[in-house]
Short mmCIF file of all heavy atoms in Angstrom, two decimals:
data_model
loop_
_atom_site.label_atom_id
_atom_site.label_comp_id
_atom_site.label_asym_id
_atom_site.label_seq_id
_atom_site.Cartn_x
_atom_site.Cartn_y
_atom_site.Cartn_z
N ILE A 13 12.38 29.70 -1.58
CA ILE A 13 11.85 30.76 -2.27
C ILE A 13 12.18 32.07 -1.55
O ILE A 13 12.67 32.00 -0.40
CB ILE A 13 10.28 30.66 -2.41
CG1 ILE A 13 9.68 30.82 -0.91
CG2 ILE A 13 9.79 29.53 -3.10
CD1 ILE A 13 8.09 30.87 -0.96
N GLU A 14 12.04 33.18 -2.11
CA GLU A 14 12.29 34.53 -1.56
C GLU A 14 10.96 35.05 -0.97
O GLU A 14 9.90 34.74 -1.39
CB GLU A 14 12.85 35.49 -2.64
CG GLU A 14 14.19 35.11 -3.22
CD GLU A 14 14.81 36.15 -4.04
OE1 GLU A 14 14.07 37.08 -4.43
OE2 GLU A 14 15.95 36.13 -4.22
N LYS A 15 11.10 35.76 0.08
CA LYS A 15 9.90 36.32 0.65
C LYS A 15 9.16 37.15 -0.30
O LYS A 15 9.52 37.64 -1.28
CB LYS A 15 10.36 37.20 1.87
CG LYS A 15 11.20 38.43 1.53
CD LYS A 15 11.50 39.23 2.81
CE LYS A 15 12.14 40.48 2.46
NZ LYS A 15 12.54 41.32 3.70
N LYS A 16 7.81 37.02 0.02
CA LYS A 16 6.71 37.76 -0.94
C LYS A 16 6.48 36.91 -2.12
O LYS A 16 5.55 37.23 -2.74
CB LYS A 16 7.12 39.18 -1.28
CG LYS A 16 7.40 40.17 -0.12
CD LYS A 16 7.70 41.45 -0.55
CE LYS A 16 7.94 42.41 0.68
NZ LYS A 16 8.21 43.82 0.33
N GLN A 17 7.16 35.81 -2.23
CA GLN A 17 6.80 34.94 -3.36
C GLN A 17 5.65 33.88 -2.99
O GLN A 17 5.50 33.71 -1.73
CB GLN A 17 7.99 34.12 -3.88
CG GLN A 17 9.00 35.00 -4.53
CD GLN A 17 8.43 35.86 -5.70
OE1 GLN A 17 7.97 35.22 -6.67
NE2 GLN A 17 8.61 37.18 -5.71
N PRO A 18 4.84 33.45 -3.95
CA PRO A 18 3.89 32.39 -3.52
C PRO A 18 4.56 31.01 -3.70
O PRO A 18 5.55 30.81 -4.24
CB PRO A 18 2.85 32.53 -4.74
CG PRO A 18 3.67 33.03 -5.91
CD PRO A 18 4.81 33.89 -5.28
N VAL A 19 3.91 30.01 -3.02
CA VAL A 19 4.44 28.68 -2.91
C VAL A 19 3.19 27.78 -2.70
O VAL A 19 2.21 28.19 -2.10
CB VAL A 19 5.47 28.48 -1.84
CG1 VAL A 19 4.94 28.72 -0.44
CG2 VAL A 19 6.13 27.09 -1.90
N ALA A 20 3.30 26.61 -3.32
CA ALA A 20 2.19 25.58 -3.07
C ALA A 20 2.86 24.28 -2.85
O ALA A 20 3.84 23.85 -3.30
CB ALA A 20 1.34 25.65 -4.26
N PHE A 21 2.07 23.52 -1.94
CA PHE A 21 2.45 22.15 -1.56
C PHE A 21 1.35 21.25 -1.99
O PHE A 21 0.17 21.61 -1.83
CB PHE A 21 2.70 22.06 -0.11
CG PHE A 21 3.57 23.20 0.46
CD1 PHE A 21 3.11 23.86 1.59
CD2 PHE A 21 4.78 23.49 -0.08
CE1 PHE A 21 3.86 24.95 2.10
CE2 PHE A 21 5.54 24.46 0.52
CZ PHE A 21 5.14 25.31 1.53
N TRP A 22 1.67 19.99 -2.29
CA TRP A 22 0.67 19.14 -2.82
C TRP A 22 0.70 17.81 -2.01
O TRP A 22 1.81 17.33 -1.45
CB TRP A 22 0.98 18.84 -4.24
CG TRP A 22 0.06 17.67 -4.82
CD1 TRP A 22 -1.27 17.86 -5.29
CD2 TRP A 22 0.38 16.27 -4.97
NE1 TRP A 22 -1.74 16.61 -5.66
CE2 TRP A 22 -0.75 15.64 -5.60
CE3 TRP A 22 1.52 15.60 -4.90
CZ2 TRP A 22 -0.69 14.40 -5.90
CZ3 TRP A 22 1.50 14.24 -5.07
CH2 TRP A 22 0.44 13.64 -5.63
N CYS A 23 -0.42 17.22 -1.70
CA CYS A 23 -0.53 16.09 -0.91
C CYS A 23 -1.42 15.00 -1.47
O CYS A 23 -2.59 15.43 -1.81
CB CYS A 23 -1.01 16.26 0.57
SG CYS A 23 -1.25 14.90 1.61
N ASN A 24 -1.07 13.80 -1.67
CA ASN A 24 -1.89 12.75 -2.00
C ASN A 24 -2.03 11.75 -0.87
O ASN A 24 -0.98 11.08 -0.64
CB ASN A 24 -1.32 12.05 -3.29
CG ASN A 24 -2.17 10.78 -3.72
OD1 ASN A 24 -1.73 9.69 -3.81
ND2 ASN A 24 -3.39 11.02 -4.13
N PRO A 25 -3.17 11.62 -0.32
CA PRO A 25 -3.34 10.74 0.91
C PRO A 25 -3.43 9.25 0.53
O PRO A 25 -3.47 8.97 -0.67
CB PRO A 25 -4.71 11.22 1.57
CG PRO A 25 -5.51 11.64 0.35
CD PRO A 25 -4.43 12.24 -0.65
N ILE A 26 -3.41 8.40 1.49
CA ILE A 26 -3.57 7.05 1.40
C ILE A 26 -4.90 6.72 0.59
O ILE A 26 -5.95 7.32 1.05
CB ILE A 26 -3.36 6.25 2.52
CG1 ILE A 26 -1.86 6.30 3.04
CG2 ILE A 26 -3.72 4.68 2.37
CD1 ILE A 26 -1.55 5.69 4.44
N SER A 27 -4.95 5.82 -0.29
CA SER A 27 -6.17 5.57 -0.97
C SER A 27 -7.32 5.19 0.02
O SER A 27 -7.01 4.28 0.89
CB SER A 27 -6.01 4.48 -2.00
OG SER A 27 -7.28 4.12 -2.73
N GLY A 28 -8.45 5.76 0.02
CA GLY A 28 -9.56 5.39 0.80
C GLY A 28 -9.67 6.17 2.09
O GLY A 28 -10.56 6.04 2.87
N HIS A 29 -8.62 6.89 2.43
CA HIS A 29 -8.54 7.82 3.58
C HIS A 29 -9.44 9.07 3.42
O HIS A 29 -9.10 9.90 2.50
CB HIS A 29 -7.21 8.11 4.03
CG HIS A 29 -6.45 6.93 4.69
ND1 HIS A 29 -5.28 7.14 5.44
CD2 HIS A 29 -6.79 5.69 4.79
CE1 HIS A 29 -5.00 6.02 5.89
NE2 HIS A 29 -5.78 5.07 5.61
N ASN A 30 -10.56 9.29 4.06
CA ASN A 30 -11.31 10.38 3.98
C ASN A 30 -10.82 11.56 4.73
O ASN A 30 -11.10 12.69 4.29
CB ASN A 30 -12.68 10.10 4.52
CG ASN A 30 -13.45 8.88 3.80
OD1 ASN A 30 -13.18 8.72 2.52
ND2 ASN A 30 -14.23 8.17 4.47
N THR A 31 -10.00 11.44 5.75
CA THR A 31 -9.60 12.60 6.59
C THR A 31 -8.21 12.90 6.26
O THR A 31 -7.28 12.18 5.94
CB THR A 31 -9.60 12.19 8.04
OG1 THR A 31 -10.94 11.73 8.39
CG2 THR A 31 -9.31 13.55 8.91
N LEU A 32 -8.03 14.28 5.91
CA LEU A 32 -6.69 14.76 5.61
C LEU A 32 -6.36 15.89 6.46
O LEU A 32 -7.16 16.81 6.73
CB LEU A 32 -6.72 15.13 4.10
CG LEU A 32 -5.41 15.57 3.49
CD1 LEU A 32 -5.24 15.18 2.01
CD2 LEU A 32 -5.10 17.14 3.57
N TYR A 33 -5.14 15.92 6.95
CA TYR A 33 -4.52 16.98 7.70
C TYR A 33 -3.38 17.63 7.18
O TYR A 33 -2.54 17.02 6.51
CB TYR A 33 -4.10 16.40 9.11
CG TYR A 33 -5.02 15.48 9.89
CD1 TYR A 33 -5.29 14.25 9.46
CD2 TYR A 33 -5.83 16.04 10.91
CE1 TYR A 33 -5.98 13.34 10.18
CE2 TYR A 33 -6.63 15.13 11.63
CZ TYR A 33 -6.72 13.86 11.22
OH TYR A 33 -7.59 13.01 11.97
N TRP A 34 -3.29 19.06 7.43
CA TRP A 34 -2.02 19.73 7.05
C TRP A 34 -1.55 20.20 8.43
O TRP A 34 -2.34 20.90 9.20
CB TRP A 34 -2.34 20.93 6.20
CG TRP A 34 -2.48 20.53 4.72
CD1 TRP A 34 -3.51 20.56 3.88
CD2 TRP A 34 -1.28 20.23 3.84
NE1 TRP A 34 -3.32 20.15 2.71
CE2 TRP A 34 -1.97 20.01 2.49
CE3 TRP A 34 0.02 20.22 3.96
CZ2 TRP A 34 -1.14 19.75 1.51
CZ3 TRP A 34 0.81 19.87 2.75
CH2 TRP A 34 0.28 19.64 1.50
N TYR A 35 -0.25 20.04 8.74
CA TYR A 35 0.35 20.43 9.87
C TYR A 35 1.64 21.31 9.55
O TYR A 35 2.24 21.09 8.54
CB TYR A 35 0.90 19.33 10.68
CG TYR A 35 -0.13 18.47 11.36
CD1 TYR A 35 -0.61 17.29 10.82
CD2 TYR A 35 -0.55 18.79 12.67
CE1 TYR A 35 -1.60 16.55 11.49
CE2 TYR A 35 -1.45 17.93 13.33
CZ TYR A 35 -1.97 16.94 12.75
OH TYR A 35 -2.91 16.09 13.48
N LEU A 36 1.80 22.17 10.53
CA LEU A 36 3.12 23.06 10.44
C LEU A 36 3.97 22.44 11.52
O LEU A 36 3.53 22.32 12.66
CB LEU A 36 2.74 24.37 10.64
CG LEU A 36 3.88 25.43 10.99
CD1 LEU A 36 4.73 25.63 9.75
CD2 LEU A 36 3.41 26.77 11.59
N GLN A 37 5.23 22.20 11.15
CA GLN A 37 6.25 21.73 12.16
C GLN A 37 7.40 22.63 12.09
O GLN A 37 8.21 22.60 11.12
CB GLN A 37 6.62 20.32 11.97
CG GLN A 37 7.56 19.74 13.02
CD GLN A 37 7.96 18.30 12.94
OE1 GLN A 37 7.84 17.76 11.83
NE2 GLN A 37 8.21 17.69 14.02
N ASN A 38 7.60 23.54 13.11
CA ASN A 38 8.81 24.29 13.25
C ASN A 38 10.01 23.42 13.81
O ASN A 38 9.82 22.36 14.39
CB ASN A 38 8.51 25.53 14.17
CG ASN A 38 7.66 26.48 13.60
OD1 ASN A 38 8.02 26.98 12.53
ND2 ASN A 38 6.64 26.94 14.16
N LEU A 39 11.17 23.87 13.59
CA LEU A 39 12.33 23.05 13.99
C LEU A 39 12.30 22.86 15.51
O LEU A 39 12.13 23.70 16.29
CB LEU A 39 13.62 23.85 13.59
CG LEU A 39 14.87 23.20 13.81
CD1 LEU A 39 15.05 21.94 13.02
CD2 LEU A 39 16.08 24.17 13.66
N GLY A 40 12.49 21.58 15.82
CA GLY A 40 12.59 21.10 17.15
C GLY A 40 11.19 21.12 17.97
O GLY A 40 11.09 21.12 19.08
N GLN A 41 10.06 21.23 17.18
CA GLN A 41 8.77 21.27 17.73
C GLN A 41 7.89 20.15 17.19
O GLN A 41 8.22 19.54 16.17
CB GLN A 41 8.09 22.74 17.44
CG GLN A 41 8.89 23.85 18.03
CD GLN A 41 8.81 23.85 19.58
OE1 GLN A 41 7.84 23.51 20.24
NE2 GLN A 41 10.03 24.02 20.26
#
Side-chain angles (χ1 to χ4, degrees):
Chain A
I13 61 172
E14 294 188 347
K15 63 180 181 182
K16 300 184 181 180
Q17 294 300 305
V19 64
F21 315 125
W22 175 79
C23 173
N24 178 240
I26 293 173
S27 177
H29 283 196
N30 297 329
T31 308
L32 184 146
Y33 308 80
W34 280 105
Y35 286 93
L36 166 70
Q37 186 178 22
N38 287 305
L39 184 65
Q41 298 295 316

